[in-house]
Amino acid sequence: MREKQKRGYWLLDAVYPRRCPICDGLLSSKEPYLCRVCIEKIHPILGAQCKKCGKPVEQETEFCRDCSKIRHSFDRGFAPYGYHGELEASLMRFKYHDRQEYAGFYAHASILYRGKQIRRRNPEVLIPVPLHPARQRYRGYNQAEVFAKKLMEEFQLPMDAQLIRRVKRTKRQKELSPAERKKNLKGAFAMKNTEKLRYRRILLVDDIYTTGSTVDALAELLKQQGAEQVDFLCAAIVK
């Protein structure tokens, strides 16, 4: 059986060669997630973190500048990396250029650097941030859902990608100010049905956290439906 699996993996690598999620170069069989050169290029968030969103902060500081001013609807946030440099380029390829295989690396890093913290929160389900159907048809996939599927395997948790719909085709968030982002997302999401929510502790999954407007809108909706705890996990967070 193991020999068959090995042959199967060899065939997949031959047809769909694995690539380093940082430089996009081909990986050898001895490089499971990153190439040897890129291991030295990126560094996880290991020091003090904001107790709300998870951004890196100075020692003895409880909350980042944003979270000290904004009352968020989500409870806790987690991310293994800051969003800059090589990680920014990697996530753009993942999001817009069909490098879906990068999700394995993001999931592995999330477990390695944030797994213990997240498990202590005891989430019941993973919910990927939905795309508007028109945008998903154009792109061909929802990067948050691809990421969440890999996290399912790592966390051994169910994923519910059908619970929430994106009903409003919003403007791109990165082009807007914080106030405009919040207005842009008003009424953007809706529950797929009106049945009573069966989850109490939810982990939202997305690729990038910027100001928190998207996860706040989702957390507010979920808590209106009965959720008690709504956390989020992103592959990278804007510092």
Side-chain angles (χ1 to χ4, degrees):
M1 185 67 177
R2 287 184 178 177
E3 287 302 317
K4 286 184 179 179
Q5 284 182 330
K6 285 180 181 178
R7 287 198 296 271
Y9 292 145
W10 179 87
L11 182 61
L12 279 172
D13 285 347
V15 178
Y16 303 105
R18 297 179 308 111
R19 292 183 175 275
C20 172
I22 301 304
C23 69
D24 203 44
L26 295 178
L27 292 172
S28 72
S29 59
K30 295 180 180 180
E31 297 170 323
Y33 295 104
L34 293 172
C35 73
R36 292 182 180 86
V37 174
C38 289
I39 286 174
E40 304 299 325
K41 290 182 179 179
I42 60 170
H43 305 284
I45 300 169
L46 295 178
Q49 300 154 37
C50 174
K51 291 183 178 179
K52 190 69 174 179
C53 73
K55 287 181 184 179
V57 294
E58 298 294 328
Q59 292 290 342
E60 309 301 325
T61 303
E62 286 193 299
F63 301 104
C64 69
R65 184 174 58 185
D66 289 342
C67 291
S68 64
K69 297 176 181 177
I70 301 168
R71 184 166 184 168
H72 290 292
S73 297
F74 67 82
D75 293 288
R76 287 292 305 275
F78 305 95
Y81 292 107
Y83 181 67
H84 56 82
E86 285 82 1
L87 254 297
E88 182 176 352
S90 173
L91 283 159
M92 288 302 97
R93 292 194 300 271
F94 173 59
K95 190 170 185 173
Y96 298 115
H97 300 288
D98 204 26
R99 285 290 191 254
Q100 297 182 52
E101 65 270 27
Y102 290 2
F105 162 68
Y106 304 141
H108 174 74
S110 297
I111 295 296
L112 183 63
Y113 298 115
R114 297 293 170 261
K116 287 183 180 179
Q117 293 172 294
I118 291 170
R119 287 190 176 101
R120 283 198 290 267
R121 302 289 290 169
N122 196 25
E124 298 173 291
V125 67
L126 305 172
I127 296 180
V129 172
L131 281 178
H132 188 274
R135 189 162 288 166
Q136 185 160 340
R137 283 194 299 270
Y138 177 79
R139 193 174 297 172
Y141 61 99
N142 175 3
Q143 73 281 354
E145 187 173 343
V146 173
F147 181 28
K149 284 178 180 175
K150 288 295 181 181
L151 289 166
M152 280 177 62
E153 302 167 14
E154 298 279 0
F155 277 119
Q156 296 186 333
L157 283 173
M159 177 187 75
D160 192 339
Q162 305 302 317
L163 183 69
I164 301 174
R165 297 176 298 131
R166 198 162 193 146
V167 295
K168 175 183 170 185
R169 190 168 186 180
T170 54
K171 297 176 183 177
R172 294 189 184 278
Q173 289 286 91
K174 65 180 181 181
E175 300 165 359
L176 306 175
S177 68
E180 289 171 332
R181 287 172 187 241
K182 188 172 182 179
K183 184 178 179 182
N184 187 43
L185 288 163
K186 189 174 180 63
F189 302 104
M191 305 297 290
K192 189 163 186 180
N193 55 56
T194 55
E195 294 176 12
K196 187 177 179 180
L197 184 66
R198 62 182 183 274
Y199 309 117
R200 291 293 172 265
R201 297 180 305 279
I202 292 167
L203 183 65
L204 297 170
V205 177
D206 206 0
D207 54 340
I208 304 161
Y209 175 97
T210 307
T211 64
S213 300
T214 300
V215 290
D216 271 338
L218 287 164
E220 185 175 348
L221 175 62
L222 287 163
K223 288 185 175 182
Q224 287 171 356
Q225 299 299 315
E228 296 170 0
Q229 173 186 300
V230 182
D231 299 332
F232 76 80
L233 168 64
C234 290
I237 192 164
V238 176
K239 296 182 181 181

